[in-house]
């Protein structure tokens, strides 16, 4: 089965696709200042791993998700994008209890409760820099909400590692719920405020329609990602939390049939997203800002398809080997 053909021809989004013109500049910063500079010590003795991270083109992914962010606002988003890859790859082979310790320190750093010197995790300084950059553009309340979403990501990651350790599949429903968190899209959705410069009040973020739209966005990226990464997940033993493999296990069907069921679930959620987007409740003076925020959210979906189908990380088996990364955890 040609998964790339399925993704290109059948996962369709009725949303615009834009790209940030600062992508090349930030990719240069990512490769030279961060991967081969500030964070060189992580993989100093392993140039092949560094090369693989460069080929992932994290700034170009971010450019599709945040197409209008000025360069100074785009920089922390690109730092976060690199952090998500580093963190995923470092801890995907960890013990669940180790992830809990990393989670608590990471959140404490983001909330300003501890500094780099008090941290013992490899990526502590990276998160501290991220917090300082974000504070230039959004208030503490927004950073607290962002940190809560990073917390959700770690909870999902810990569940994934537990399933992998036990070599046990969750149910389809359980898998969708944990992947909603572990896909790590929620934190990026909060940073739309960095891009637009509009800080929405907390009651809007807590509105059930807004929360549902974010959940649907996470589902849609996940359904796409599961088909895209199924070969990678089979190679790394990460099948226990890939929705396609979970469907295949639960229904006892072929891989192709499981991919088509994943597509059906994707299209159901896409219909609901479009319906909610086109019939929003009245948010009063914030209406235009909310409409705009959801518009940006929709571009994440079309943007992810546009960039990720070109990434060697998924399509050419170019991803860091877990054994190369495990020592950093």
């Amino acid at each position: 089965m040609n998964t790339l053909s399925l993704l290109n021809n059948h996962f369709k989004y009725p949303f615009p696709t834009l790209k940030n013109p600062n992508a090349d500049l930030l990719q240069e910063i990512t490769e030279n200042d961060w991967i081969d500079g500030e964070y060189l010590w992580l993989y100093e003795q392993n140039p092949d791993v560094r090369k693989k991270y460069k080929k992932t083109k994290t700034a170009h992914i971010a450019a599709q998700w945040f197409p209008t962010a000025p360069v100074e606002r785009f920089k922390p988003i690109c730092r976060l994008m690199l952090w998500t890859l580093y963190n995923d790859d470092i801890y995907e082979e960890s013990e669940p209890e180790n992830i809990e310790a990393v989670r608590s320190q990471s959140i404490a750093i983001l909330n300003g409760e501890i500094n780099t010197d008090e941290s013992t995790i490899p990526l502590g300084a990276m998160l501290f820099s991220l917090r300082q950059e974000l504070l230039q553009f959004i208030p503490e309340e927004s950073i607290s909400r962002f940190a809560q979403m990073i917390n959700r990501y770690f909870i999902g990651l810990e569940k994934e590692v537990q399933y992998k350790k036990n070599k046990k599949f969750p149910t389809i429903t359980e898998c969708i719920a944990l992947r909603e968190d572990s896909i790590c899209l929620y934190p990026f959705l909060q940073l739309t405020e960095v891009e637009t410069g509009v800080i929405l009040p907390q009651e809007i973020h807590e509105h059930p329609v807004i929360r549902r739209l974010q959940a649907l966005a996470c589902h849609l990226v996940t359904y796409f990602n599961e088909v895209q990464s199924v070969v990678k997940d089979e190679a790394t033993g990460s099948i226990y939390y890939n929705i396609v493999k979970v469907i295949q296990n639960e229904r006892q069907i072929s891989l192709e049939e499981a991919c088509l069921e994943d597509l059906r679930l994707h299209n159901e959620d896409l219909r609901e997203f479009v319906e909610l987007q086109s019939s929003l409740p009245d948010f009063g003076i914030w209406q235009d800002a909310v409409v705009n925020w959801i518009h940006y959210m929709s571009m994440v979906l079309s943007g992810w398809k546009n960039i990720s189908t070109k990434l060697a990380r998924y399509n050419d088996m170019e991803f860091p080997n877990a054994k190369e990364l495990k020592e950093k955890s």
Side-chain angles (χ1 to χ4, degrees):
M1 183 187 62
N2 188 330
T3 54
L4 195 57
S5 175
L6 179 65
L7 292 168
N8 280 323
N9 297 325
H10 296 282
F11 284 74
K12 299 178 180 179
Y13 304 98
F15 311 122
T17 303
L18 303 177
K19 188 172 182 181
N20 196 304
N22 298 304
D24 286 332
L25 172 60
L26 262 296
Q27 187 61 35
E28 187 177 324
I29 290 172
T30 298
E31 295 182 14
N32 299 330
D33 295 1
W34 295 343
I35 295 174
D36 283 345
E38 198 171 343
Y39 310 119
L40 172 65
W41 65 273
L42 278 166
Y43 304 112
E44 189 166 5
Q45 305 306 318
N46 203 326
D48 287 342
V49 169
R50 298 203 307 276
K51 184 179 178 182
K52 288 175 182 178
Y53 279 117
K54 292 173 185 178
K55 288 178 74 172
T56 304
K57 301 292 184 186
T58 48
H60 286 268
I61 299 173
Q64 298 276 182
W65 290 10
F66 295 82
T68 65
V71 64
E72 67 278 4
R73 290 173 177 261
F74 190 44
K75 187 177 179 182
I77 293 162
C78 291
R79 193 187 297 270
L80 173 64
M81 189 66 76
L82 181 61
W83 175 86
T84 62
L85 260 70
Y86 275 162
N87 200 80
D88 260 351
D89 288 338
I90 289 173
Y91 296 111
E92 71 174 3
E93 291 290 317
S94 288
E95 294 295 317
E97 55 270 23
N98 293 343
I99 293 177
E100 166 57 27
V102 176
R103 181 197 64 78
S104 61
Q105 280 201 40
S106 298
I107 303 310
I109 293 168
L110 288 173
N111 283 328
E113 295 164 1
I114 63 172
N115 58 37
T116 307
D117 295 336
E118 298 169 291
S119 166
T120 59
I121 57 175
L123 302 180
M126 197 174 193
L127 289 173
F128 184 80
S129 296
L130 177 61
R131 171 181 160 81
Q132 298 308 115
E133 288 174 332
L134 291 176
L135 277 172
Q136 300 174 69
F137 309 114
I138 56 176
E140 283 281 2
E141 184 179 27
S142 293
I143 290 180
S144 176
R145 188 179 63 255
F146 168 75
Q148 288 169 18
M149 297 306 183
I150 293 288
N151 190 63
R152 288 185 67 161
Y153 154 71
F154 272 110
I155 291 170
L157 181 62
E158 188 174 347
K159 289 177 181 175
E160 286 184 351
V161 171
Q162 190 72 58
Y163 280 114
K164 186 173 182 177
K165 179 183 179 182
N166 295 336
K167 292 182 166 51
K168 177 185 176 184
F169 285 98
T171 66
I172 296 170
T173 302
E174 288 168 341
C175 189
I176 292 170
L178 80 87
R179 292 292 284 141
E180 179 184 323
D181 291 338
S182 68
I183 199 72
C184 203
L185 182 61
Y186 273 121
F188 286 96
L189 296 180
Q190 312 316 305
L191 297 190
T192 302
E193 294 185 335
V194 174
E195 180 168 32
T196 64
V198 177
I199 311 299
L200 295 169
Q202 189 62 22
E203 58 265 26
I204 288 178
H205 288 287
E206 292 173 356
H207 193 284
V209 170
I210 300 303
R211 292 175 66 176
R212 180 59 180 166
L213 279 162
Q214 291 186 78
L216 289 167
C218 293
H219 292 177
L220 290 165
V221 169
T222 301
Y223 290 133
F224 188 95
N225 189 72
E226 305 302 68
V227 172
Q228 184 179 41
S229 63
V230 68
V231 175
K232 170 182 178 288
D233 289 344
E234 287 177 334
T236 59
S238 303
I239 57 173
Y240 301 99
Y241 45 84
N242 180 305
I243 292 172
V244 169
K245 298 300 290 185
V246 171
I247 291 170
Q248 188 181 10
N249 176 74
E250 188 169 312
R251 304 274 175 85
Q252 291 297 295
I253 55 179
S254 69
L255 182 61
E256 183 174 2
E257 289 171 318
C259 285
L260 293 175
E261 173 61 12
D262 176 276
L263 174 61
R264 187 189 68 79
L265 292 169
H266 170 277
N267 289 343
E268 273 190 4
D269 278 0
L270 180 60
R271 277 192 294 272
E272 184 181 351
F273 186 98
V274 171
E275 287 169 5
L276 288 175
Q277 183 183 27
S278 61
S279 58
L280 290 171
D282 184 3
F283 289 100
I285 61 169
W286 295 102
Q287 190 70 19
D288 289 347
V290 171
V291 168
N292 193 47
W293 188 48
I294 295 164
H295 171 62
Y296 274 94
M297 198 187 303
S298 74
M299 289 193 289
V300 168
L301 307 174
S302 52
W304 176 240
K305 174 182 177 177
N306 189 54
I307 185 66
S308 67
T309 49
K310 303 177 179 71
L311 291 178
R313 180 179 174 92
Y314 297 109
N315 303 314
D316 298 325
M317 299 292 280
E318 288 280 358
F319 48 88
N321 186 298
K323 291 179 181 177
E324 298 172 320
L325 301 161
K326 193 172 183 180
E327 62 190 52
K328 295 300 175 187
S329 63

